[in-house]
Structures are given as structure tokens and as C-alpha cells.
Amino acid sequence: MDIQAYIQSGIVESYVLGLANAEEIAEIEQLRLEYPEVNQAILDFELSLEKQAMDNAVSPLAGVREKLFDRLSSEFEAEAPVVPINEEITATPVIPIQPQTSRSWKWVAAAAIILLAGSIWMNIYYYGRYQKTASDYQALVTERNSLQANTDLYQTKLREMDSSLLLMQNPVMAVIKMPGVPGKEGNTATVYWNTQTKDVYLLAAKLPTPETGKQYQLWAIVDGKPVDAGMMGNCNGLCKMKNIPHAQAFAITLEKEGGSPSPTLSALYVMGKI
Amino acid sequence: MHYLTVVPDQKKYSEADLVVALKARHQSAFAYLYDNYAGALNSVISGILPNQEEATDVLQEVFVKIWRQIEKYDDAKGRLFTWMLNIARNTSIDRLRNKDYQHNQQNLELTESVYESGVTQPNIDKIGLRKVVHLLKDEYKILVELSYFEGYTQDEISKMLNIPLGTIKTRLRTALVQLRSLIKP
């Protein structure tokens, strides 16, 4: 192929000016890759065409630039850093781009203020919610603690009752019922006496609450004489008393706190024989 | 025209940088593009559309197309300006054709009026490339006018002027080679 003749045929100009048909376009785009001189001829003509147009530029009407930027304002992406365009230059023939930028900044600022206000409101709202939640939580913790204390208390009581039940069911246990003596008929108490170990347990089923400074004292009647069998303390279920090797009867009197060496017979409440 | 003389003071983009910045949708790149090329593209458009209002309208449309289609620009196929020039020419011819079509329904029968509309517009003859085209011999001038400035295919021109297609092709090629030597700096 005579490449110079090809270049001089006017095909280069047809191609650049957009007058070539599809077949011609395909051919020249192939040839420009193979022959640098074809490519160079294309570039040369492009450049002279560009220069010709630049040299003969016709300033557009003043409002065009502004309208165009208005129309495309939403399509510009933020750029950082902004490339400044010399204002002296743009000021002469063209409308400055300031209005568009300041307008878009106003929108941005307005949006930022709205977001900030929203954020502050949410902070206040959620702080209030947090405060309430924190105090609710405290209340729940307190309630849980008191429930736990109650549960512990009941568990302790239950354990004592449990062991009391076990003791009472023991077949070696002798049960001595002590009804109220004349004048104290409404009262009753029971002694559980282990016939093997000789341990004594008292179940104060029905005795009036002693006045302050007073305490119930259990006596074992051994060969007609009262023997101290211990003070009735603050226990649930069965109260373990002193070990009594043998006795014929048990009785309870109300004595001063800490007990007396001998029973006050006028304050005798209940009594039962074995 | 005035501002072209101060362009060298402006921040200068290489063509490749400008394309990158345009594809990144930078407003400053678009401003640079407009400030540097609006006049040249306006002369191309005004060469085809004599009505200033219409030319202004098309100029805006052209810049919107450039902005929105910049992704399609392939620098392996040619310079940025050549690509923009073709957008400007095609958009202008579309507008011209729409108008022509609305004004006269016959279209291809309009040999005489089309021919005359090309050569009797006094303003157009003084604008840009068209000014150079008018330095060509009449038989060449008419072919460049009809094909480049009015967008007719060579087949259409052959029928319009009643000249064989082969002759149209050869003459148009010769006209373009002459045009090249006229605009060569």
C-alpha cells in the first residue's frame, strides 16, 4: 500500500471532520496503528483544525455560562483542594461562579444546621432516657437484693424446719406434750427427747410473746427436783436445749432474761409428764 | 474573543489532566473547559446555525452533552477538541435538520433552496471554518457546505446535484485536502 498516497487522498480530513463512512473509519483506525505517519497526519490535522477554531473563537453571550452552571450545579462533585480560577480573568467577559457556589454552600450549611439541631435534640432525648433507665435499673437492683434477702431468710427457715421435721420423725424421739397448767390453759409446748443421745428439743407451739427482760426457761423434773434444761432462744422450729440424761417431767416458767437457778412456780406456764 | 488573550494566565491543565478532572466531575475543570473552548465551539455552531439565539441554545446543549458523555471520550481515537467539535457539529446539524424538516416537508427535493441557503447567508460566510471553505472553488465549496455544514450524505448530495456518487466522493476528498492546506498554520 502506498501510504503517502493514502494520507494525501483526503481520507484523513474526512475522518477527522466526521465525514468518513463506517468502512473508511474502520480502515483508518486500523492503519493508524500500523503506520505512525498515518497517526501523525491525523494528529496534525486535528491540531490545525483546533487552532483554526481557537483563532476564530466567537465569545458566547454573557448569560450562557451562568445558565449552564445553574443547570449542572447538582452534577458537580466536591473536589479538594479547589482549583482556583483567577477571578480577574473570569470577571471580564463572564459571570463569576460565586453565586452558584455560595448558593450550594447555603444548602450545605442549612443541611448541617438541621442535622446539628437534630443531633442535639436526640442527645437530650436519649440522655433523659438514659437517666430514667439508670434509676429504673437501680430500683430493680434494690428490689432484687431485698428479694434475695427474703429468699435467704426463707431458705434458712426452711432448712431449720426440715431438720426439725427429720428430728421429729426419728423413732427414738420421745414426744412429751406439755399442756397449759390451770390458769394458763391456752398455752402448749412440746419437748422432743432423744432417748439414745438424751438431747432435748423444744417446740414452743403456743406461748405468749415474753415481755422485755423476760425469757422462757425449760426445766426437767428429775426425781422431784427441777433441773435447768436451758433457755428458749430466738430459734425457728425446734430449739435445741441442754442434754438431760433422765427426767420424769418437763415444765416451762417465765424467768428473767438469762434464767434463774430455780423456777418461779407462780410463773409456771406448761408442764408435761413423760 | 477578549478573554482568549488572558487564557495563558489561568491555571493550565494538560489535556489528559483536564479529561481526568472532568471524569471526576470537578466543577473547576468544567469551568476551565468552558472558558477555554466555549468561543471555539461557539464559532463551529455559529458556522452552521446563523440564528444567534439558536446557536446559543445549542452551545449550552453541547456543553451539557460534553459534561454528561465525557466517560465516552477515548483519547486513543483523537484529541478532546476533535471529539467536542464533532458533538458541536452533530448537534447543530440535528437542529438545522429539524428546522428544515419543519419548514419544508419535501426534504431531498430542495436542491436549489438548500444550495442557496448555504451560500446566501452573509454572516455565516465570515465565521470560522466556513470562512476558509469559501476560499475554495465553487464546485468544491458546495460539497463541503452540503456535507460538513448541512450534514447531507454523499448519496443524498449525488441525488441533489445530479452528479455521480464516485465524482462526489473524489471531489469532496480533493476539497478537503485543499481545505487542509488553507488552514495549516
Side-chain angles (χ1 to χ4, degrees):
Chain A
M1 182 174 207
D2 183 350
I3 208 67
Q4 283 310 317
Y6 178 78
I7 290 167
Q8 296 302 323
S9 71
I11 179 62
V12 171
E13 294 76 10
S14 285
Y15 172 67
V16 173
L17 290 170
L19 297 175
N21 62 34
E23 204 178 309
E24 293 167 332
I25 292 170
E27 183 183 40
I28 197 167
E29 286 185 346
Q30 182 57 41
L31 287 172
R32 79 184 297 183
L33 298 175
E34 291 174 31
Y35 297 93
E37 51 270 54
V38 173
N39 193 45
Q40 194 54 53
I42 292 169
L43 294 178
D44 287 348
F45 185 63
E46 282 191 75
L47 264 180
S48 48
L49 204 58
E50 184 170 338
K51 187 173 185 307
Q52 202 273 340
M54 289 295 202
D55 290 348
N56 290 279
V58 178
S59 293
L61 298 178
V64 178
R65 193 183 199 271
E66 192 187 20
K67 272 192 209 157
L68 198 52
F69 274 74
D70 250 1
R71 192 167 157 194
L72 298 179
S73 59
S74 65
E75 298 177 28
F76 296 122
E77 291 289 331
E79 46 187 308
V82 173
V83 179
I85 290 180
N86 195 324
E87 288 198 9
E88 279 176 313
I89 294 161
T90 48
T92 357
V94 185
I95 303 301
I97 58 172
Q98 220 55 11
Q100 281 90 14
T101 46
S102 70
R103 204 177 61 169
S104 66
W105 274 111
K106 273 182 201 158
W107 282 109
V108 172
I113 289 166
I114 289 165
L115 285 172
L116 181 66
S119 165
I120 290 169
W121 180 82
M122 279 175 60
N123 271 301
I124 293 167
Y125 176 72
Y126 282 111
Y127 183 70
R129 293 270 298 243
Y130 161 77
Q131 292 280 53
K132 190 184 179 306
T133 308
S135 71
D136 284 355
Y137 171 75
Q138 265 314 318
L140 278 174
V141 167
T142 312
E143 195 179 320
R144 194 205 75 97
N145 285 345
S146 80
L147 278 175
Q148 184 64 48
N150 276 340
T151 307
D152 289 348
L153 186 66
Y154 286 122
Q155 273 191 346
T156 312
K157 279 189 175 174
L158 194 65
R159 264 199 301 276
E160 284 171 356
M161 303 281 264
D162 231 26
S163 55
S164 302
L165 262 175
L166 274 174
L167 282 174
M168 288 190 265
Q169 283 168 348
N170 196 329
V172 300
M173 206 58 94
V175 181
I176 301 114
K177 286 210 164 90
M178 298 185 292
V181 295
K184 301 271 193 290
E185 280 91 353
N187 302 297
T188 166
T190 310
V191 164
Y192 290 87
W193 190 29
N194 191 315
T195 50
Q196 287 174 354
T197 64
K198 308 293 180 190
D199 280 338
V200 173
Y201 300 89
L202 175 63
L203 183 66
K206 215 171 165 195
L207 284 173
T209 312
E211 47 193 288
T212 44
K214 298 276 189 176
Q215 215 177 355
Y216 289 108
Q217 188 168 9
L218 180 68
W219 303 94
I221 312 301
V222 183
D223 302 329
K225 287 184 178 164
V227 175
D228 173 37
M231 304 306 296
M232 211 175 94
N234 201 6
C235 58
N236 298 297
L238 285 181
C239 297
K240 191 168 190 286
M241 311 306 278
K242 290 182 176 171
N243 189 278
I244 300 294
H246 61 270
Q248 289 79 47
F250 285 98
I252 291 175
T253 57
L254 188 61
E255 302 292 338
K256 63 178 194 294
E257 210 169 58
S260 307
S262 58
T264 311
L265 289 174
S266 58
L268 177 68
Y269 273 72
V270 292
M271 188 166 173
K273 288 179 181 160
I274 295 168
Chain B
M1 205 74 94
H2 175 76
Y3 68 92
L4 280 176
T5 56
V6 289
V7 160
D9 294 342
Q10 226 170 325
K11 180 192 185 320
K12 193 81 180 135
Y13 279 98
S14 73
E15 199 172 289
D17 288 347
L18 179 59
V19 171
V20 168
L22 285 173
K23 286 181 179 176
R25 319 258 100 208
H26 287 178
Q27 184 173 351
S28 63
F30 186 69
Y32 177 87
L33 185 85
Y34 185 89
D35 293 341
N36 279 273
Y37 294 105
L41 293 176
N42 194 35
S43 83
V44 172
I45 295 162
S46 302
I48 296 168
L49 296 167
N51 180 314
Q52 197 189 20
E53 203 183 318
E54 213 165 35
T56 301
D57 200 36
V58 167
L59 180 69
Q60 278 191 59
E61 204 181 322
V62 165
F63 269 97
V64 170
K65 280 186 183 174
I66 291 169
W67 175 249
R68 292 187 179 156
Q69 296 177 11
I70 189 69
E71 286 300 331
K72 290 187 192 162
Y73 167 67
D74 177 4
D75 61 1
K77 294 264 173 75
R79 290 178 61 76
L80 178 64
F81 182 77
T82 309
W83 181 72
M84 297 193 296
L85 171 66
N86 283 325
I87 290 175
R89 175 179 166 254
N90 292 335
T91 309
S92 303
I93 285 171
D94 281 351
R95 182 66 66 97
L96 185 72
R97 281 302 187 82
N98 277 340
K99 193 181 65 178
D100 274 357
Y101 192 75
Q102 282 158 13
H103 284 187
N104 2 250
Q105 300 291 333
Q106 304 109 307
N107 215 6
L108 290 182
E109 312 279 321
L110 290 176
T111 315
E112 285 310 300
S113 67
V114 165
Y115 177 76
E116 277 164 36
S117 79
V119 290
T120 55
Q121 288 284 349
N123 290 331
I124 280 186
D125 300 353
K126 307 210 164 33
I127 294 169
L129 194 62
R130 206 149 189 172
K131 188 172 65 183
V132 186
V133 171
H134 277 255
L135 300 173
L136 298 171
K137 280 202 292 183
D138 277 356
E139 58 175 13
Y140 293 144
K141 185 167 67 184
I142 181 72
L143 297 185
V144 179
E145 283 285 350
L146 289 173
S147 62
Y148 188 73
F149 292 103
E150 299 191 19
Y152 289 101
T153 66
Q154 292 174 22
D155 203 36
E156 284 167 341
I157 296 168
S158 162
K159 282 171 187 153
M160 267 186 212
L161 303 181
N162 205 16
I163 297 171
L165 182 59
T167 312
I168 298 286
K169 199 178 274 285
T170 318
R171 272 195 209 164
L172 182 59
R173 291 281 190 89
T174 311
L176 295 178
V177 172
Q178 285 188 13
L179 189 64
R180 173 193 207 160
S181 58
L182 284 172
I183 65 171
K184 199 158 191 168

